[in-house]
Amino acid sequence: MEKAVVATRLACDGIEVEHNKNILIADTPESFAQCVIELLKNPELRNRLGKNGREMAIRKYTWTYVASLFDNVYRKMCLPSPSSLTQEERVKIVV
């Protein structure tokens, strides 16, 4: 489902989006309306924003991706302190 999105900066807070790449950002009623009209008139822009937005959402905000971030943090927390390891043990962890 690739849908172009118009949102305010506040709505985008904490989400990695880029205006005119994967979303249109508008903070006033007038600019919001202008963005919606632009999307209605411009199917190429509408399709591009929808496609890019979906790709970004799948890449950055799926449960699989978020779970992998938590898994990495937990694994690092479980590692022994580097100062307690020999040089050979440190190399094995990095590799």
Side-chain angles (χ1 to χ4, degrees):
M1 197 167 167
E2 297 176 353
K3 301 293 180 188
V5 174
V6 180
T8 65
R9 288 186 204 289
L10 182 60
C12 298
D13 192 31
I15 304 172
E16 293 181 32
V17 293
E18 186 177 331
H19 178 73
N20 214 29
K21 180 178 180 185
N22 46 33
I23 195 168
L24 292 179
I25 299 173
D27 290 320
T28 66
E30 295 80 15
S31 64
F32 201 96
Q34 286 174 337
C35 288
V36 171
I37 291 167
E38 178 63 25
L39 288 175
L40 292 171
K41 289 181 175 181
N42 188 337
E44 182 181 308
L45 175 63
R46 189 171 59 239
N47 293 333
R48 181 173 52 83
L49 291 176
K51 181 176 184 264
N52 291 344
R54 179 171 170 75
E55 288 174 1
M56 182 267 311
I58 289 170
R59 191 175 59 252
K60 293 291 221 174
Y61 299 103
T62 61
W63 283 114
T64 303
Y65 177 73
V66 173
S68 73
L69 294 177
F70 277 103
D71 186 56
N72 288 339
V73 169
Y74 292 142
R75 287 180 188 276
K76 287 178 183 176
M77 289 172 52
C78 293
L79 290 175
S81 166
S83 61
S84 68
L85 300 174
T86 65
Q87 179 64 30
E88 184 178 307
E89 291 169 325
R90 286 187 207 137
V91 170
K92 285 181 185 178
I93 290 172
V94 172
V95 175

